[in-house]
Amino acid sequence: MIRFEDVSVTYDGAAQPAVQGVDFEVPEGELVLLVGPSGVGKSTVLGAVSGLVPHFTGGTLRGRVTVAGRDTRTHKPRELADVVGTVGQDPLSHFVTDTVEDELAYGMESLGIAPEVMRRRVEETLDLLGLAELRNRLLATLSGGQQQRVAIGSVLTPHPRVLVLDEPTSALDPAAAEEVLAVLQRLVHDLGTTVLLAEHRLERVIQYADQVALLPAPGAPPVLGTPAEVMAVSPVYPPVVGLGRLADWTPLPLTVRDARRRAGDLRERLAGREPARGATPVTGSLPNPRPSTSRWRVRKQTATSTRVQAATPTPVQTAEVRVLTVRRAHAEALHHIDLTITPGETIALMGRNGAGKSTLLNTLVGLVTPTSGSVRVGGLTPHRTAPRDLVRRAGLVPQEPRDLLYADTVAAECTAADADAGAAPGTCRALVSELLPGVTDGIHPRDLSEGQRLALALAIVLTARPPLLLLDEPTRGLDYAAKSRLVTILRALAAEGHAIVLATHDVELAAELAHRVVLLADGEVIADGPTAEVVVASPSFAPQTTKILAPQQWLTVSEVREALA
Amino acid sequence: MPEEGAPKGRGELRAQPRRSRTRQTTHSGTSSGAPNPPNSLHPGAWWTWSLGLATAATRTTNPLLLSLLITVSAYVVATHRTPTPSSHSYTAFAKLGLAVLLIRLAFATILGSPIPGTHVLLTLPQVPLPHWAQGIRLGGKVTAEGLTFAFYDALKLATLLLCVGAANALANPARLLKSLPGALYETGVAVVVALTFAPNLIADAQRLRAARRLRGRPDRGLRGLLHVGLPVLEGALERSVALAAAMDARGYGRTAQVPASVRRTTAALTLGGLLGVCAGTYGLLTAEGGTYGLPLLLAGVVAALAGLRLGGRRTLRTRYRPDAWDLRAWLVTCSGVSVAALLTLAATRDPAALNPGVIPLVAPTLPLWPAAAVLLGLAPAFLTSKPSKPSKSPREPS
């Protein structure tokens, strides 16, 4: 269906090709997963299928790409629109119209499909994707998962034979991701659609793939094979594969179910051992992980932990939120939130898209004014504090780290950050060198990869050394290597006594990093307790390792590895 | 989903839209059976109605009639506006109207009024101005006549603004553009995309100003806004490029093969027509071209329209649920046009009642039959059913 014949793509002004030696075929009706670390050219390969590379992006494409027999050299993207449907990373930038129904019809209108057929297909697609309730809604008012489903629906209505998706689930909460993937599987199974998909969160998608194409390194030709074969050699792999590699299971299990059936002996070997959570690696200067969910016990504990904190100038509680309610546009975004954040602890804020995670973080830095209740950060009320003073109390790395970057070069950005924070010149640059070794002064922040940009934003925020560090969805678009670097950095910060709050959909990250998980639903706290307790109890928020080794409470592969060592 | 599905499955799937269509026709009360979204009236009808009311407002300065016009348009907007972002613009237009009113009154107070009056309300200290500023007065006597005149004048302008606001609130201008002929469709989409550019730009600017706070810089004030200017423009540009890519990949700009002769005829007709329109307009406006002006203009319009129609052949596009021009649309249009026509007639027949004099200062009276004519504008409120309000719950499980 899709045929790459010795394809290489060189962008204008680039020294080497972005991808080369791409030579494989995607047969009709298969779901092929494109994997690889960040920056290996996954998006370029996907773009070549729809013809956007090179017709829209510029650059030179050597070799030949054919889709359903059409050569992309002679066919522009618009002439491939009836056979290829493309959904990019950000559904909002894909939308042309403003309501769900119009958006679904837009592609068909362009192709000149008869009105009766359009009407029928819109109704079918509304049902297929469960969007019937939302048909008259404005696209801007939908949640992330709904938007992603509309984006997929909008390319489905012209009945393309090929569907190309770039990270369709990376912005979604676990439940919404399941929903989108279920739709894709249904398309492949029932309708014979060919799907080519790139995704960083392999734990979500690997089980659905018929074949995996691995781009191991920039400029290296892809390796094609069955998921189990490729995962055995891949530099990026989900926890289930990590556990399989650790326990030497062959063939490698790809689903939790397969792994559980093999895990009997591993569970036996692990029986009686305890996850080394109390001793490693964060707790040098920390209180023990919270044993209880109740607030007063947490506070009592804070009192006992002041001894440890005596060295740092931070107050006893980094932040305290009491009966906080935030009302926005007639709806309550947050309702009666109580939260105490103590120095040195890492809290994962979880919950579905739109549950109020970002609002809570924004309230802590004063971007949102509470409707009622109180917020104290380092003894100050954030929304009444001048920004200059607040940066030394709390720092937020927003969902889009680029929002924090204004300057043309990394060096200029660092100088500005030192001035803003009133820190000694060179503070920020030293942090950047530590977090991002090998980044030169003259590089433009926009040319950095997603992970590097996050690290730069983090360095800028850390320049003011805020005791409270907030991160909104930090792992969106990060590969496993970038993620583990981030985990190392954040653990070190927590060990220094920084309190860290991260809003995330990434259950594996939360398992790896957080002492405590706060679950939000509809603006209310529905669970607050130690990671192991909260996460294990919820099927959608449990990490893969936990599911495989249940009822034992292991959270990550590295815990298991340490216990076995 | 696919056409080549089992015949049984196709039958089942097909039954569904048909069922929903019958439901709609009974719901909206039309018998045309047009695939029209329930309760939606052709946007052109709303715009004609609003512009009719606006035309009526230009014919009178009677504050009672103008207030009546405002009330009529506001009532229809209140009952019939659609829950789209453009409907919120009515409030913005109302504020603008109020601002116009206040500014006009302030100017009349401070700068005086050309209307001579005898009822002096108060005397402001007059600022002596140099001789080159002769004819401009700062301060001085403020007369009731001057203020009243300014108020009538400003109220007329505010009414006009509110009528345009009503049109915006009742029918999204983007939907009006959808009704353009096929040949102009792509231009229409470009305009729609450009229209969404401004709101996106504002949202970006707000987000980035907020981000300044995170870096410890003041997030308010002019400097805050200036500093985010470049990143905001960069972001907007990137989004536009992404949207262009998405539109291209979804078939925007696909054209059908048409014979070269048709292409050439189209170009000739369109160009010739536009030239004719220009020459004809020039002829009409100059004194000596009175004879050839009108025929040339008409011929130009006809040729341009024919060119557009022929040009439409190049586009493959079809329309999904086009807005049908049904009986209700005719009635709504009629209501607007008749208000305009009747008030124009009244203005010629009874100018004194429609433009109450300020010298001598008299209380305006409500002329009976023009007022009744304005009330005709309420017809849409009863002719068309209210739009169904979709649930506006901002948080929904995804």
Side-chain angles (χ1 to χ4, degrees), chain A residues 78 101 103 109 112-113 120 127 143 159 179 191 332 354 382 385 402-404 406 413 420, chain B residues 1-3 16 207 212-213 215 217 234 238 248 250 254 316-318 320-321 395-396 398:
Chain A
R78 66 187 78 143
E101 207 175 340
E103 190 61 33
E109 288 185 324
I113 290 168
R120 195 175 72 232
D127 285 342
S143 74
H159 286 190
E179 226 172 89
L191 309 173
E332 274 189 357
T385 308
R402 207 185 328 187
D403 289 358
L404 277 190
Y406 307 105
E413 208 70 78
D420 289 337
Chain B
M1 278 288 292
E3 294 311 281
Q16 203 171 16
R207 210 185 66 236
R212 278 177 63 81
R213 186 181 174 84
R215 290 198 57 166
R217 304 178 190 185
E234 264 176 22
E238 269 170 34
D248 202 11
R250 291 171 70 186
R254 271 166 83 104
L316 286 163
R317 279 195 94 249
T318 45
Y320 174 73
R321 298 174 95 180
R395 272 197 314 264
E396 221 157 281
S398 34

Side-chain angles (χ1 to χ4, degrees), chain A residues 64-360:
Chain A
R64 184 206 294 268
V65 183
T66 46
V67 184
R70 291 187 208 174
D71 190 336
T72 59
R73 277 189 298 190
T74 51
H75 289 79
K76 289 186 182 153
R78 66 187 78 143
E79 285 148 15
L80 291 166
D82 51 337
V83 286
V84 184
T86 311
V87 182
Q89 292 182 10
D90 179 15
L92 268 183
S93 69
H94 168 97
F95 294 146
V96 183
T97 64
D98 53 5
T99 64
V100 173
E101 207 175 340
D102 287 347
E103 190 61 33
L104 292 182
Y106 176 79
M108 292 189 290
E109 288 185 324
S110 303
L111 298 179
I113 290 168
E116 313 80 68
V117 181
M118 284 202 273
R119 189 65 212 280
R120 195 175 72 232
R121 287 193 191 168
V122 166
E123 299 295 337
E124 288 168 10
T125 310
L126 286 172
D127 285 342
L128 182 76
L129 297 179
L131 294 167
E133 300 289 307
L134 309 171
R135 61 189 305 158
N136 292 321
R137 283 275 293 274
L138 290 174
L139 292 168
T141 63
L142 301 181
S143 74
Q146 291 166 337
Q147 282 177 349
Q148 193 62 266
R149 275 186 289 152
V150 174
I152 292 176
S154 72
V155 298
L156 277 184
T157 44
H159 286 190
R161 293 162 69 192
V162 176
L163 208 54
V164 176
L165 304 135
D166 198 353
E167 299 210 28
T169 74
S170 64
L172 304 183
D173 61 70
E178 296 268 316
E179 226 172 89
V180 167
L181 290 168
V183 166
L184 289 183
Q185 205 188 12
R186 192 160 162 203
L187 292 174
V188 172
H189 282 226
D190 297 359
L191 309 173
T193 312
T194 310
V195 177
L196 184 61
L197 174 83
E199 180 64 66
H200 279 309
R201 304 225 169 140
L202 293 178
E203 66 270 18
R204 290 178 172 178
V205 292
I206 191 78
Q207 48 187 315
Y208 298 107
D210 295 306
Q211 283 196 79
V212 174
L214 165 72
L215 288 165
V223 179
L224 198 73
T226 64
E229 282 166 25
V230 175
M231 279 302 117
V233 296
S234 170
V236 291
Y237 49 85
V240 59
V241 171
L243 205 61
R245 284 188 186 184
L246 183 69
D248 280 331
W249 290 329
T250 42
L252 275 173
L254 297 174
T255 61
V256 170
R257 185 163 178 262
D258 286 348
R260 265 198 78 82
R261 289 153 120 187
R262 306 268 191 76
D265 59 323
L266 185 62
R267 273 197 293 267
E268 258 167 46
R269 278 163 70 194
L270 287 169
R273 294 171 205 246
E274 276 292 307
R277 236 165 273 146
T280 50
V282 228
T283 36
S285 62
L286 274 185
N288 288 324
R290 315 255 97 42
S292 151
T293 63
S294 74
R295 254 191 304 130
W296 63 272
R297 280 184 67 179
V298 171
R299 244 184 272 149
K300 198 172 75 182
Q301 227 188 7
T302 325
T304 59
S305 70
T306 36
R307 179 181 43 83
V308 191
Q309 299 304 323
T312 52
T314 50
V316 181
Q317 283 150 5
T318 309
E320 187 168 40
V321 174
R322 303 285 301 275
V323 273
L324 169 72
T325 297
V326 174
R327 202 182 297 271
R328 263 183 173 177
H330 312 295
E332 274 189 357
L334 292 175
H335 182 72
H336 283 280
I337 302 278
D338 283 302
L339 187 69
T340 309
I341 305 165
T342 53
E345 80 172 330
T346 305
I347 300 177
L349 212 53
M350 306 188 81
R352 61 172 89 91
N353 293 88
K357 301 186 296 293
S358 298
T359 311
L360 183 53

Side-chain angles (χ1 to χ4, degrees), chain A residues 6-32:
Chain A
D6 195 24
V7 173
S8 74
V9 178
T10 314
Y11 287 116
D12 293 336
Q16 310 111 316
V19 290
Q20 61 182 343
V22 181
D23 195 290
F24 67 92
E25 196 180 345
V26 180
E28 186 164 2
E30 283 207 352
L31 194 155
V32 174

Side-chain angles (χ1 to χ4, degrees), chain B residues 78-91:
Chain B
T79 50
H80 281 74
R81 71 163 148 195
T82 48
T84 58
S86 73
S87 68
H88 299 303
S89 63
Y90 190 71
T91 334

